[in-house]
Amino acid sequence: ESHLDLKLIKGFCKIKNIDFIYGENKTKTINNEEAAREQRYSFFEKIAKKHNLDFVCTAHHRDDFIETIIFRIVRGTGPKGLMPIKDFFQYSKDLTVFRPMLNLKKEEIIDYARVNKISFNEDKTNKDVSHKRNFIRKKILPMLKEVNSNYDQNLLNLSDLVFSQDKALDHIYNNSTDLITSMGKHHIEINKKY
């Protein structure tokens, strides 16, 4: 039903006098989330370069981040996989991505749209639990909420804690290597992998 999204956004842009730029994958089927993501960001990169944009905004929100943490945990991530998703990140030399809604819950965004009479479509595929992310959203997260109604904030706190510890370890590592170097111990090798 992506044609409905196309019609909605094209109409919105026309009413608001916003340039409408559209791209579509017409050549191959995409079988996984990562490949789809790469194709989207490659498109954003071309558009950013062509129009000399400072950044491109995406609509990632707080619930997306919670789902990503759970997804990474079940895939066997280490501490780096628990790091917070950044508001800004440099995808490439030509593309900076900004996620302005990262601190908003999906429910808050939908409420805002309804109160302000902003039309939106719900993607029908979001209900299909055969997709792993949808399974997490529809099945796992409600169970976690039964265990602890603050599970989402606790996961965000965990992510912030991992980030803080990572920064502290970087600081300790850099100070240690500076100290060793200043002592003239030039033949000491330290492996930072963790």
Side-chain angles (χ1 to χ4, degrees), residues 154-170:
N154 290 341
L155 285 170
L156 294 174
N157 292 345
L158 172 64
S159 181
D160 287 341
L161 182 61
V162 170
F163 175 76
S164 298
Q165 289 179 342
D166 185 67
K167 290 296 170 201
L169 287 171
D170 276 349

Side-chain angles (χ1 to χ4, degrees), residues 131-147:
H131 299 290
K132 291 174 185 165
R133 187 172 284 274
N134 293 345
F135 183 81
I136 290 169
R137 182 183 309 128
K138 296 291 184 185
K139 301 287 186 181
I140 295 175
L141 296 184
M143 288 192 285
L144 289 176
K145 191 170 187 170
E146 283 184 32
V147 173

Side-chain angles (χ1 to χ4, degrees), residues 32-42 89 91 99:
N32 67 59
E33 188 177 325
E34 188 59 31
R37 178 186 183 277
E38 287 302 318
Q39 192 168 80
R40 277 193 309 274
Y41 281 83
S42 175
F89 81 95
Y91 179 78
R99 299 172 174 132

